[in-house]
Amino acid sequence: MTDTTATLDLGPQTAVLARLAEGVTDEHLAAPTPCPEYAVRHLVGHLVGLTVAFRDAGRKDLGVTTDTSPGSALPDLGPGWREELPKVLAELAEAWRDPAAWTGMTRAGGVDLPGEIAGLVATDELVIHGWDLARATGQAYTPDPAALQVCHDFLAASVDDPGRGEIFGPVVPVRPDAPLLDRAVGLSGRDPGWAPRS
């Protein structure tokens, strides 16, 4: 485990996401997002599902929530999502404050993987989908700096991974002096200049 991940607290980033979710109105739910197959309602449904899955992965509480592939069905919102999402975000952050979450093996999305890698994937999901949600709903977005750095480094390390295409789109070139968030977004396969069509 690296020093960065050993001390990474996901709480600041989950708090950013919870604030973004508060800004989502019912009028936003049908709007497009940077994820071509998702409207905002699907993106938020995905966020609820992945947060529960990575909370349970951190707890090593393996079962249905950690076994389900994210691509098995188009995610959607449950009726209580406004209360559920901030609750499970806080629970995810608490689970990953336990150093044991970052060690040993766990599972997420039906894939067995080391705890440290699961923590890195969770960080990436929280940072990049936070950007997706902010862009889709016209909100300002300032991710937690520590989580952003970990996300960027994780994505940069995956560029030459032959299995990368199963998870991320092709890298979108971004100038080397661009803000770190733009570089991370480009590495995730998104255009940092994406905006909803007016």
Side-chain angles (χ1 to χ4, degrees):
M1 185 170 12
T2 65
D3 289 342
T4 304
T5 54
T7 58
L8 180 64
D9 179 2
L10 294 176
Q13 181 59 26
T14 58
V16 169
L17 261 178
R19 286 194 296 273
L20 286 173
E22 284 181 8
V24 175
T25 68
D26 289 346
E27 289 71 30
H28 286 134
L29 295 180
T33 74
C35 307
E37 68 277 21
Y38 285 179
V40 169
R41 67 178 305 112
H42 305 124
L43 176 60
V44 176
H46 177 60
L47 278 166
V48 173
L50 78 86
T51 300
V52 170
F54 281 101
R55 175 200 67 190
D56 293 348
R59 293 173 173 175
K60 308 293 201 297
D61 182 10
L62 309 184
V64 174
T65 60
T66 59
D67 289 349
T68 304
S69 168
S72 60
L74 188 66
D76 206 347
L77 294 175
W81 72 268
R82 291 188 184 279
E83 295 74 37
E84 183 182 11
L85 184 55
K87 174 179 175 287
V88 294
L89 282 166
E91 291 171 350
L92 179 150
E94 188 58 34
W96 288 92
R97 288 187 181 110
D98 183 349
W102 299 86
T103 62
M105 294 295 293
T106 190
R107 187 181 309 131
V111 178
D112 292 319
L113 67 173
E116 181 180 2
I117 300 302
L120 294 174
V121 174
T123 306
D124 167 68
E125 294 276 348
L126 294 169
V127 171
I128 298 299
H129 284 319
W131 180 86
D132 291 333
L133 186 60
R135 279 302 172 100
T137 58
Q139 299 186 70
Y141 182 51
T142 304
D144 170 58
L148 173 59
Q149 186 67 60
V150 168
C151 169
H152 172 272
D153 295 349
F154 170 69
L155 289 167
S158 78
V159 167
D160 296 322
D161 186 333
R164 174 195 155 84
E166 298 172 17
I167 306 171
F168 305 111
V171 171
V172 175
V174 176
R175 31 172 243 282
D177 62 343
L180 187 62
L181 178 59
D182 287 0
R183 285 181 276 147
V185 167
L187 288 168
S188 77
R190 291 157 169 80
D191 177 0
W194 185 93
R197 290 181 184 151
S198 53

